[in-house]
Every structure is written in C-alpha cells, then in structure tokens.
Amino acid sequence: MKNFMLGLIGVIVLGGIMAVVFISIEKSKDTEVAESIQAESSEPLPYEYSKKGFEQRIHEMTHQKVYAEDKWGAFEMKEENINMLLSILDETEIENEDSYREILNKWKMGDFSNSVEVHNSIWSSNEGDIGEAERLATPEEEKIFVEENFRMD
C-alpha cells in the first residue's frame, strides 16, 4: 500500500495575530482508489472503505433479491453498482477477492440465484440473529422493495 501526503497552506487571523498554517493529510492508495470510485458512483461507499464496508454493500444488494422478515440497509442491485464493486476488486486487495468476483460476475450476467446463499453467508459471519433470508424474493416482492428503497420520488 503506497502512502502519500497532501498539504494545505492557509492563513488564520485571530485577535489581530496572523498565523500561517500547514495541514498535512496522509492518504493511502486504497483510500485514493475508493474516493475515485465513490466520486463516479451515485451512492456513497458504506461507513469507511474497508473489507467490512465492501462486504456490507454486497449484503445490502442481496436485500433486493431475497425474502427475509427483517432487512437493514439497501444498495440497489444495478449494473452501475456491480461495476463499481468490481472496480474496487481490480484496484485493491480484499480478502476472498475471488469469491466476491465470482458473485459479482454472476450478478452482472443477470444470475441472482446465489443471493440467498450470499446473504446468509455474510449475515452468519456477522453473527446475525434476526433477518435470515428464507428464499429468493418474488418479482412482486422485489418490485415493492425497489419502489420503497430506491424510487421514493
């Protein structure tokens, strides 16, 4: 991971005293990539950019495709978002990268048959106890979910 420094010089005047301030911010290559990808997306990346945040986005995408009594979070299952997550995999190192790439490539091809398995795997790894996916959502259930979460206009 390559780090670099950003600097900002400013002048502050307080009570007649003038001070020149230099503020430096250290950033990593992964942060730069995430910010670049986020700038291209209509949706912000979750929480902070991390494996957990990446995994959370995958989990939130499954909510559109699965039936569960309770769901928290929604990230639209659309090509733009799938491509964004694939771009993150291209630019960074994430544990289980091959598995995530396989999941996302299936979704990109329109195959969502693994959504219950993906949802419950992430749900279980995060010690979920409410909201286990029971089955794929029906087309009507998915339509309602999309309207309630992404088409609120």
Side-chain angles (χ1 to χ4, degrees), residues 64-106:
Q64 180 176 329
K65 298 291 181 181
V66 302
Y67 174 82
E69 283 293 320
D70 295 297
K71 302 177 196 177
W72 294 279
F75 189 56
E76 191 167 7
M77 180 78 78
K78 62 182 182 178
E79 188 173 4
E80 175 185 343
N81 291 338
I82 293 168
N83 288 338
M84 179 189 69
L85 294 175
L86 284 167
S87 293
I88 291 171
L89 290 178
D90 290 341
E91 300 294 332
T92 60
E93 293 180 22
I94 292 181
E95 188 178 329
N96 302 317
E97 176 182 336
D98 291 339
S99 296
Y100 288 128
R101 190 174 301 282
E102 183 179 333
I103 290 165
L104 291 165
N105 281 323
K106 280 185 178 183

Side-chain angles (χ1 to χ4, degrees), residues 1-152:
M1 179 182 325
K2 185 177 176 184
N3 291 338
F4 61 93
M5 300 288 289
L6 292 177
L8 174 65
I9 298 177
V11 177
I12 299 174
V13 179
L14 293 172
I17 300 172
M18 182 170 59
V20 176
V21 179
F22 178 79
I23 301 170
S24 67
I25 302 168
E26 187 170 333
K27 297 180 83 173
S28 70
K29 180 68 174 162
D30 287 349
T31 302
E32 177 189 14
V33 168
E35 288 173 353
S36 171
I37 292 168
Q38 182 174 344
E40 295 171 9
S41 172
S42 60
E43 306 260 350
L45 291 175
Y47 322 109
E48 63 185 59
Y49 179 68
S50 64
K51 177 198 180 276
K52 180 138 180 82
F54 183 89
E55 186 176 77
Q56 182 66 23
R57 279 300 194 218
I58 298 278
H59 180 80
E60 289 172 347
M61 288 175 88
T62 66
H63 287 168
Q64 180 176 329
K65 298 291 181 181
V66 302
Y67 174 82
E69 283 293 320
D70 295 297
K71 302 177 196 177
W72 294 279
F75 189 56
E76 191 167 7
M77 180 78 78
K78 62 182 182 178
E79 188 173 4
E80 175 185 343
N81 291 338
I82 293 168
N83 288 338
M84 179 189 69
L85 294 175
L86 284 167
S87 293
I88 291 171
L89 290 178
D90 290 341
E91 300 294 332
T92 60
E93 293 180 22
I94 292 181
E95 188 178 329
N96 302 317
E97 176 182 336
D98 291 339
S99 296
Y100 288 128
R101 190 174 301 282
E102 183 179 333
I103 290 165
L104 291 165
N105 281 323
K106 280 185 178 183
W107 291 352
K108 187 172 180 170
M109 299 303 292
D111 179 357
F112 305 104
S113 60
N114 63 0
S115 297
V116 171
E117 178 186 345
V118 171
H119 177 278
N120 288 344
S121 175
I122 295 171
W123 175 84
S124 178
S125 72
N126 289 309
E127 299 178 6
D129 59 355
I130 298 173
E132 183 175 16
E134 298 175 25
R135 58 177 169 75
L136 288 172
T138 65
E140 183 61 29
E141 289 167 336
E142 182 177 352
K143 180 180 177 190
I144 291 167
F145 184 85
V146 168
E147 288 173 0
E148 289 178 352
N149 289 279
F150 309 119
R151 311 291 183 265
M152 296 176 269

